[in-house]
Amino acid sequence: MPGTYGASGLSGTPGAKGLADAARELVRLLAVRGETLAVAESLTGGLVAAELTGVPGASKVFRGSVTAYATELKRDVLGVDGTLLDQRGAVDAEVARQMAEGVRGVLGADWGIATTGVAGPDPQDGQPVGTVFVAIAGPGAVADGEQTRPEVIAARPDQAVGGSGNTAAGGYALGGPDGNVAALRLNGDRAEIRRESVRSVLKLLLQRLSGERAGNGRAQDTEQNGGN
């Protein structure tokens, strides 16, 4: 059955007060769970991996990363469908999901996260600057094609993604509370867009892991009591 498509704001993710805090909490949560993480990056060009490896003890959970900046590398290294790339380009919700799933398989990790989008200064693949998709893939992920509806990407200004300044115009997760892909509309210059993309993909996985901890009846951390 196809998933239910809805909006799930990324603001207010527990324990995510900034990039360093989000990365530290993510590493900690994964270590507690005994799980590993791999990263696939396009527009962020290694920034996600840099934040994660900046955390002491990250080697316990971080498997590695693939910076697939060129479109053909998304196909040849990460296994993204070539027809999909030809038809939609690299800036697409389903491409992001396949990148996350692909890096998870290639690097042998429990979880994969991915970023793809347009940081500027020019549009790409018919998408305006600030269009970004971030994705996660992991245990119990919904089957291929069930979580992404690329046509449903309008930003919601009432659900701004937490971040610094006015970088994030809005965003939501596709697929309801278990959504694996978030579509973002980000404002700011190239550096701000890339930084907010890093923050958002870390938050998306934090949100998923924290939700699973709550669902499993595990004790919540005292610092997980609110977001920006």
Side-chain angles (χ1 to χ4, degrees):
M1 287 284 293
T4 301
Y5 301 99
S8 175
L10 300 180
S11 59
T13 302
K17 300 175 183 177
L19 281 177
D21 287 341
R24 188 179 306 112
E25 177 65 5
L26 189 52
V27 167
R28 192 194 66 78
L29 274 177
L30 288 167
V32 167
R33 295 164 64 100
E35 295 175 338
T36 56
L37 175 65
V39 178
E41 302 189 58
S42 187
L43 85 155
T44 48
L47 294 177
V48 178
E51 284 296 331
L52 290 167
T53 55
V55 178
S59 59
K60 296 177 182 178
V61 302
F62 185 66
R63 290 284 296 167
S65 64
V66 174
T67 302
Y69 212 63
T71 297
E72 63 268 23
L73 293 182
K74 296 176 177 66
R75 178 194 65 214
D76 298 341
V77 176
L78 297 175
V80 177
D81 183 74
T83 301
L84 172 69
L85 290 167
D86 290 341
Q87 292 178 347
R88 300 184 189 172
V91 184
D92 178 80
E94 175 62 11
V95 169
R97 192 197 65 79
Q98 290 190 21
M99 288 174 64
E101 191 64 57
V103 79
R104 179 189 176 214
V106 168
L107 299 186
D110 296 297
W111 293 92
I113 60 178
T115 65
T116 185
V118 189
D122 301 314
Q124 178 183 339
D125 296 333
Q127 299 281 11
V129 173
T131 301
V132 175
F133 297 95
V134 297
I136 64 174
V142 172
D144 193 25
E146 292 186 358
Q147 285 274 26
T148 50
R149 296 256 317 256
E151 67 274 18
V152 187
I153 58 174
R156 291 182 52 170
D158 60 318
Q159 293 190 347
V161 177
S164 58
N166 295 318
T167 302
Y172 60 84
L174 303 179
D178 296 321
N180 285 342
V181 182
L184 310 174
R185 289 289 184 268
L186 304 180
N187 298 322
D189 60 22
R190 180 178 175 84
E192 290 172 323
I193 289 170
R194 296 175 77 210
R195 183 170 59 248
E196 190 61 35
S197 298
V198 176
R199 189 193 313 275
S200 295
V201 75
L202 295 179
K203 281 190 172 185
L204 188 62
L205 183 53
L206 270 173
Q207 187 178 57
R208 176 68 173 267
L209 295 180
S210 297
E212 288 187 0
R213 284 169 63 85
N216 291 337
R218 299 180 181 178
Q220 293 297 295
D221 302 303
T222 56
E223 67 191 50
Q224 293 184 348
N225 58 6
N228 299 25

